[in-house]
Amino acid sequence: MPALLVSGLAVIAAAACQGGGTTQTNNEAATAQKADTTQAGAPSTALQAGSIERGREVFRHETFGDEGFWTDAARMPQGMKAARLTVLDALKAGVNFDVEAMPADLKAALASEVKTDHSPAKAPRLNDPATLEALVKANAVIGMVPKGAKVGVTCALCHTITDKSMYELTGKGTIGKRIDGPTQHALNVGKLLATCANTRAFFTTAQLQMPDGSTIGRAAKGLTAQSTEAEFDAYFSNPKYYPIGSFDDSPDGVGNPIHITPFFRQDLAAPYGSSGQNSDLNDFNNTVYTALFDQSNLLSEGGRQFIHTLGAAAGDSMLAGYTKVLAATGVTGYPYVTAALKGKPGEPPTPTGKRVDEQKLRDLQAYVNSLQAPKGVVTSTALVASGRALFVAQKCTSCHNTNQGEAVQSKLVPMNVIWPAYAPKVIAQRKAPLTPIQNSPGTFDDKMVVVDASPGGGPRGNALPLLLDLARKPVFLHDDSVHSLDELLNPKRGKTAPHPFYVVTPSQRTELVAYLKSLDTDSK
């Protein structure tokens, strides 16, 4: 049985979010706490909405204890120090810096040095590893949060950009004031993971070798519990295997990094994720904190039960390999996440039998619901108007809205419709209502090899995305297989390619691309 049976997100890979943003009084919070029936299986969206202001702090700074995993297991700060990583190196990896959190002396020095040729002689602070270390301690490296002597990660690492008010390394990282919500498309997540001193701690989200020697993902060869640190580093740091701007969010042994989605206006985004499963953003976020930001929690009693329920002997085998990896690399004292034992392992609210602070989950939901999408880019109103007419005439509206202020349609597009070449081979059977584990040649379905909507009775297919902030987006489709909007719409891709919906002439494509790039929540 393949290791891919044991996706830690198999029943929670997508979520819809609801709720507004109001500041609670202490009495209201107490009432909400008493009304918390999650342990009995009620969805957390039934609880009182959270506070936007507090949610911003959760989004930017809350780690729920994951600094233990990132410092003691993956050893991110130690790896950065050993690699002598500099601010310039971090910018090249797409990391963003909060200018408002910088110490005054460093802010002044960097403001001057970014205007030079960046050589060590003219930009000593940019090239000094001590500067990056000082900025981490100052909480000026967006998404890397100091917690005492340790460093954890937050939502902001992948879902915040800046206004570039101090500097932008073209097509890479930036320095400026925070703008939460948009995807940082230039973030090289794989490179950052490979910089950790113990990259093997990310074992469950690596592309693994199955017992028969096969593997699923972009790399030709899978990793094993016996693979070296150098081999793990080579996988994660190779953009051919782990594309820039993507993140592998399913600990299933499949190499399936998908493009990072935006985290603004999540009230419009249901069903959430590429395969469209859950209806609760709070459940999804809880899983991120309890199964992804601290993968060692999969080795807790609840985590093991969850994985065993999903993958039986195959799940046990993968976790046995992970246990060996952590022992061989001297990792102890895990799991690290701060969460209450609650509910039943395997259920959406508590996949590992744990749930982080309920109020903070509701606050985070309120904040990301409130975040506004960037304005669309209009270079020609005539082209936009022509493109909109074409969008309607070509029946794009059978799936997508013209009014981007409305929620996306909740339907799933079946896999054989969104990808006519889909020809899966059954790898293993699963108990109903789960569909069999199955894989088709190519990367488009790799995220759905394990994760689909079958737990809720839905088809295997794709959920519809928000058509917002497309002017900044460098690649398209969740597997990054298309490199421009013009290419996406070009019939040269073929009738059996993923998303085979085209416009024939170059002029029509120009019009439709102009329209798509213009879209924002004010578009009608």
Side-chain angles (χ1 to χ4, degrees), residues 131-179:
T131 304
L132 182 59
E133 186 175 354
L135 291 177
V136 171
K137 290 180 179 178
N139 203 9
V141 183
I142 294 177
M144 296 184 187
V145 178
K147 297 289 182 178
K150 299 181 180 181
V151 179
V153 300
T154 69
C155 304
L157 181 64
C158 295
H159 301 289
T160 292
I161 60 174
T162 81
D163 64 0
K164 311 174 188 177
S165 53
M166 178 182 284
Y167 179 67
E168 177 189 17
L169 183 60
T170 305
K172 304 291 184 182
T174 66
I175 305 174
K177 297 179 181 179
R178 293 177 185 247
I179 301 174

Side-chain angles (χ1 to χ4, degrees), residues 50-336:
S51 157
I52 292 174
E53 293 78 10
R54 291 194 303 263
R56 180 177 57 196
E57 293 305 303
V58 175
F59 180 93
R60 294 180 175 184
H61 308 305
E62 182 59 68
T63 64
F64 293 106
D66 73 28
E67 63 272 11
F69 178 78
W70 289 86
T71 302
D72 297 337
R75 299 163 193 159
M76 177 177 66
Q78 300 93 313
M80 292 168 59
K81 187 172 183 178
R84 295 187 59 78
L85 204 69
T86 67
V87 172
L88 194 57
D89 293 328
L91 286 168
K92 290 177 180 178
V95 173
N96 294 318
F97 293 84
D98 182 357
V99 71
E100 295 181 308
M102 289 182 172
D105 60 330
L106 286 180
K107 180 178 177 180
L110 293 177
S112 176
E113 290 184 9
V114 294
K115 299 175 183 177
T116 70
D117 62 6
H118 299 171
S119 65
K122 294 183 179 180
R125 296 289 189 100
L126 275 176
N127 290 279
D128 185 354
T131 304
L132 182 59
E133 186 175 354
L135 291 177
V136 171
K137 290 180 179 178
N139 203 9
V141 183
I142 294 177
M144 296 184 187
V145 178
K147 297 289 182 178
K150 299 181 180 181
V151 179
V153 300
T154 69
C155 304
L157 181 64
C158 295
H159 301 289
T160 292
I161 60 174
T162 81
D163 64 0
K164 311 174 188 177
S165 53
M166 178 182 284
Y167 179 67
E168 177 189 17
L169 183 60
T170 305
K172 304 291 184 182
T174 66
I175 305 174
K177 297 179 181 179
R178 293 177 185 247
I179 301 174
D180 293 333
T183 296
Q184 169 53 342
H185 297 295
L187 187 65
N188 192 341
V189 176
K191 180 67 174 177
L192 295 177
L193 299 181
T195 302
C196 294
N198 187 23
T199 308
R200 286 173 284 182
F202 302 106
F203 182 81
T204 63
T205 53
Q207 181 180 333
L208 302 180
Q209 178 179 297
M210 299 179 195
D212 63 359
S214 63
T215 190
I216 295 176
R218 294 173 173 88
K221 182 180 179 181
L223 298 162
T224 70
Q226 289 72 44
S227 296
T228 66
E229 178 71 11
E231 289 171 323
F232 271 80
D233 290 345
Y235 167 74
F236 281 100
S237 63
N238 189 333
K240 292 182 180 180
Y241 305 153
Y242 209 111
I244 294 170
S246 71
F247 177 58
D248 192 329
D249 66 355
S250 51
D252 55 5
V254 176
N256 53 18
I258 60 172
H259 203 81
I260 299 165
T261 58
F263 222 24
F264 48 67
R265 289 306 306 269
Q266 292 303 283
D267 56 311
L268 302 176
Y272 198 57
S274 56
S275 58
Q277 276 181 269
N278 275 24
S279 61
D280 196 325
L281 179 63
N282 293 342
D283 292 350
F284 172 76
N285 286 336
N286 179 65
T287 303
V288 170
Y289 293 118
T290 59
L292 282 173
F293 284 0
D294 179 8
Q295 293 176 30
S296 73
N297 192 43
L298 295 172
L299 297 176
S300 68
E301 181 179 352
R304 287 180 182 277
Q305 184 177 341
F306 173 44
I307 296 300
H308 177 79
T309 299
L310 292 174
D316 298 340
S317 176
M318 188 179 82
L319 291 188
Y322 191 31
T323 301
K324 291 178 181 178
V325 165
L326 295 187
T329 55
V331 177
T332 60
Y334 58 84
Y336 309 99

Side-chain angles (χ1 to χ4, degrees), residues 243-438:
I244 294 170
S246 71
F247 177 58
D248 192 329
D249 66 355
S250 51
D252 55 5
V254 176
N256 53 18
I258 60 172
H259 203 81
I260 299 165
T261 58
F263 222 24
F264 48 67
R265 289 306 306 269
Q266 292 303 283
D267 56 311
L268 302 176
Y272 198 57
S274 56
S275 58
Q277 276 181 269
N278 275 24
S279 61
D280 196 325
L281 179 63
N282 293 342
D283 292 350
F284 172 76
N285 286 336
N286 179 65
T287 303
V288 170
Y289 293 118
T290 59
L292 282 173
F293 284 0
D294 179 8
Q295 293 176 30
S296 73
N297 192 43
L298 295 172
L299 297 176
S300 68
E301 181 179 352
R304 287 180 182 277
Q305 184 177 341
F306 173 44
I307 296 300
H308 177 79
T309 299
L310 292 174
D316 298 340
S317 176
M318 188 179 82
L319 291 188
Y322 191 31
T323 301
K324 291 178 181 178
V325 165
L326 295 187
T329 55
V331 177
T332 60
Y334 58 84
Y336 309 99
V337 63
T338 302
L341 291 172
K342 195 173 186 181
K344 295 181 180 179
E347 293 186 347
T350 53
T352 66
K354 294 181 180 179
R355 193 154 174 104
V356 298
D357 184 271
E358 195 69 45
Q359 182 61 56
K360 291 181 179 179
L361 288 174
R362 297 197 295 272
D363 294 341
L364 176 60
Q365 179 185 39
Y367 184 57
V368 297
N369 283 357
S370 75
L371 292 173
Q372 297 304 303
K375 294 293 294 181
V377 174
V378 177
T379 55
S380 167
T381 54
L383 282 178
V384 169
S386 298
R388 187 189 186 285
L390 190 60
F391 188 82
V392 174
Q394 292 286 106
K395 299 183 179 179
C396 299
T397 50
S398 63
C399 286
H400 302 289
N401 300 336
T402 54
N403 185 344
Q404 300 306 312
E406 295 180 352
V408 298
Q409 297 183 46
S410 60
K411 71 177 183 179
L412 297 177
V413 182
M415 185 62 72
N416 60 356
V417 173
I418 195 68
W419 185 24
Y422 183 57
K425 175 183 177 181
V426 173
I427 299 172
Q429 295 291 338
R430 295 191 292 188
K431 292 182 179 180
L434 296 175
T435 58
I437 303 297
Q438 50 194 307

Side-chain angles (χ1 to χ4, degrees), residues 2-50:
L4 59 88
L5 279 172
V6 296
S7 171
L9 296 181
V11 293
I12 34 70
C17 40
Q18 305 173 31
T22 58
T23 302
Q24 289 180 300
T25 66
N26 290 335
N27 288 337
E28 289 171 333
T31 301
Q33 182 63 32
K34 291 179 181 179
D36 183 353
T37 56
T38 302
Q39 190 166 357
S44 60
T45 47
L47 303 175
Q48 185 171 339

